[in-house]
Amino acid sequence: MEPAALDVAIAAVNFTLAAIFAGILGVWVYFLTYMTKSFRLAPRMDDYHYYPLAPANGGSDSKPKVSVILPARNEEKYIARCLDTLLAQDYPNFEVIAINDNSTDRTGEIIQSYAVRDRRIVYVSTPAKPEGWAGKNWACHQGYKKASGEYLFFTDADTEHAPDVMSLAVGRMLSEGLDALTAIPRLLCNDFWTKVTLPALSTFLHTRFSPLRVNDPKHKTGYFFGSFFVITKKTYEAVGTHEGVRQELVEDGALGNKVKAAGFRMKMVRGEKHVEAIWARDFTTLWHGLRRLVIPLYHQDHTGAHLIAVAVFFIMFAPFLFLGYTVPAFFALAANSGGLGGLSATILLGVHVATILMLLATTAVQSKLGVMQSPAYALGSPLSGALIYLGFASAIVDARKKGAVSWRDRQYTVSEKQNFLH
């Protein structure tokens, strides 16, 4: 090929890549803009007029009874602390339905010891999980059948609660006439891989499940955080209880979606100062957590799942992967030969570097304000991008296999009937 023709061909490749990275840069600018707007405008758990508690004396001024639904499977490391923070609530009228979901460790023993000491705790042992049910969904349903409260407060065994969180939640629901309320928890990261992965993953998911969308009656998005949502029993029954989402692996999101779709009044608030939860406990649970997000989506929308995996590759991983081309091309063309190829290499390097800087800045903000950890973990973005993409891609490859999902020591085969967060 003639030098001039080769120069044009190289320039065409460089300009194409520059255009792609300009698009990725635009995505990260949008993420940062929307995310900071959401942090600024999203309501907080305690930013409403708080009124004093009335005694639970059975009179007209008493607080409605709250039934805490607490499923637990092999949670001996966390369950005691969760129960301690629930029993320390300043709300005067509640019970804790603690469900031992066929644990093989000391979880059931610990719950029973608490139930003996405090009559507010009701111990439930689940019968064997029927075919067609996810384990946690079955446990929650068993807890609901034992609940006597007007309000159902669902949480997880690895979650800790501030003493006033139940009062704040119920008070807000009463004052605003809400049917359901969920709180964004502070997500605790115990290991290096979760610390570098969660900021990028949270950023990617933030726009879809932002409080700005969930709280907008005109928007279809509905979502619950499994670590904290409160719903009236009437509303819960009206949307079919957990039986209506019995096969869902992301049951909290699916249930929140049903509440929103049915036209009930729901709100998402920032509760990081009041609720702390663990999203992944180690690399293994992180990996399966990533796969758990995608496999149900694949069965609901094959094309959509593939597009998400491709988008993750380009948005999160490609900017770092393609540095192996951009930097050498710049030094080979712009620094030595000039011409159209050199110009294109210079433009490509500028757009590429801007994209990476915006990616790092956005994940640093999410790490600081969302995950509440050092923004320095954003420097692990190349690792997190690769891990998230590989997790999503492997989930799509394995989606049709028996036992494709492993979660809480159980294997699940996901059916085509699952609808996962329409």
Side-chain angles (χ1 to χ4, degrees):
M1 183 180 293
E2 294 293 326
L6 179 61
D7 191 54
V8 170
I10 292 174
V13 171
N14 289 344
F15 282 131
T16 299
L17 288 175
I20 292 173
F21 283 117
I24 297 173
L25 173 61
V27 170
W28 283 103
V29 169
Y30 171 75
F31 280 169
L32 181 59
T33 303
Y34 191 90
M35 187 174 65
T36 53
K37 178 183 178 182
S38 181
F39 284 143
R40 180 169 50 89
L41 298 180
R44 299 178 183 273
M45 178 70 83
D46 54 0
D47 66 356
Y48 80 105
H49 180 66
Y50 181 74
Y51 58 92
L53 291 170
N57 56 14
S60 60
D61 61 343
S62 65
K63 298 299 180 187
K65 187 174 184 179
V66 175
S67 293
V68 181
I69 310 295
L70 175 62
R73 176 175 170 81
N74 295 336
E75 298 283 7
E76 65 178 10
K77 184 177 179 180
Y78 301 100
I79 186 68
R81 181 57 185 159
C82 180
L83 288 171
D84 286 340
T85 63
L86 288 170
L87 293 176
Q89 293 298 304
D90 64 11
Y91 192 79
N93 189 17
F94 71 92
E95 64 181 356
V96 179
I97 313 296
I99 308 105
N100 177 25
D101 181 16
N102 293 281
S103 298
T104 57
D105 63 4
R106 296 181 57 251
T107 298
E109 178 185 334
I110 294 170
I111 295 174
Q112 286 180 309
S113 68
Y114 272 79
V116 169
R117 298 197 305 266
D118 196 311
R119 61 182 179 82
R120 292 174 296 177
I121 295 182
V122 179
Y123 172 77
V124 176
S125 181
T126 61
K129 178 179 72 68
E131 188 69 26
W133 281 79
K136 180 181 176 182
N137 306 2
W138 175 245
C140 286
H141 191 64
Q142 298 307 300
Y144 148 71
K145 292 196 294 186
K146 297 291 185 179
S148 59
E150 301 170 54
Y151 285 69
L152 305 179
F153 168 9
F154 289 87
T155 189
D156 292 329
D158 56 5
T159 304
E160 296 183 12
H161 309 81
D164 61 348
V165 71
M166 194 183 299
S167 296
L168 289 169
V170 176
R172 185 158 202 149
M173 291 179 70
L174 290 171
S175 65
E176 298 184 16
L178 300 176
D179 301 300
L181 181 140
T182 188
I184 302 172
R186 179 184 179 185
L187 296 175
L188 303 178
C189 304
N190 291 335
D191 67 293
F192 170 78
W193 285 101
T194 305
K195 288 178 179 179
V196 299
T197 302
L198 192 56
L201 181 64
S202 298
T203 299
F204 189 71
L205 298 175
H206 193 96
T207 54
R208 183 171 186 184
F209 303 119
S210 165
L212 302 186
R213 294 179 183 271
V214 173
N215 296 342
D216 184 355
K218 298 178 182 179
H219 204 282
K220 294 182 179 180
T221 301
Y223 194 79
F224 286 152
F225 286 90
S227 52
F228 190 100
F229 69 93
V230 183
I231 183 171
T232 66
K233 182 180 281 189
K234 290 182 179 179
T235 302
Y236 180 68
E237 293 172 341
V239 298
T241 73
H242 271 82
E243 186 173 7
V245 294
R246 60 187 177 275
Q247 289 185 317
E248 299 289 350
L249 297 183
V250 189
E251 80 297 328
D252 42 10
L255 190 62
N257 188 66
K258 291 191 71 172
V259 170
K260 184 70 175 287
F264 290 102
R265 293 196 62 191
M266 65 180 299
K267 178 166 281 191
M268 177 183 289
V269 298
R270 294 191 63 186
E272 294 94 336
K273 294 182 180 180
H274 302 274
V275 185
E276 293 184 347
I278 300 173
W279 194 78
R281 302 170 186 185
D282 50 34
F283 181 84
T284 300
T285 55
L286 172 63
W287 177 255
H288 287 298
L290 292 172
R291 289 166 55 85
R292 176 173 168 257
L293 291 173
V294 176
I295 289 179
L297 176 60
Y298 174 84
H299 287 290
Q300 188 265 325
D301 182 359
H302 294 2
T303 302
H306 281 96
L307 289 176
I308 285 178
V310 171
V312 166
F313 173 80
F314 278 101
I315 293 171
M316 293 187 172
F317 187 45
F320 302 104
L321 181 66
F322 279 86
L323 276 176
Y325 170 83
T326 299
V327 174
F330 172 78
F331 284 107
L333 298 172
N336 299 320
S337 61
L340 188 60
L343 174 63
S344 66
T346 302
I347 293 174
L348 172 59
L349 180 65
V351 175
H352 198 159
V353 169
T355 301
I356 290 177
L357 291 176
M358 182 56 64
L359 186 162
L360 294 175
T362 304
T363 51
V365 170
Q366 179 65 245
S367 185
K368 177 68 174 179
L369 300 181
V371 185
M372 297 183 179
Q373 65 182 13
S374 171
Y377 284 106
L379 297 175
S381 293
L383 296 174
S384 67
L387 182 61
I388 294 169
Y389 168 67
L390 291 174
F392 283 16
S394 71
I396 291 173
V397 171
D398 294 339
R400 295 180 181 274
K401 295 181 181 178
K402 184 177 181 180
V405 178
S406 175
W407 194 248
R408 293 292 188 265
D409 303 316
R410 286 188 172 115
Q411 300 292 322
Y412 294 101
T413 300
V414 185
S415 79
E416 298 282 345
K417 296 179 181 179
Q418 288 186 306
N419 52 30
F420 182 74
L421 304 186
H422 292 305

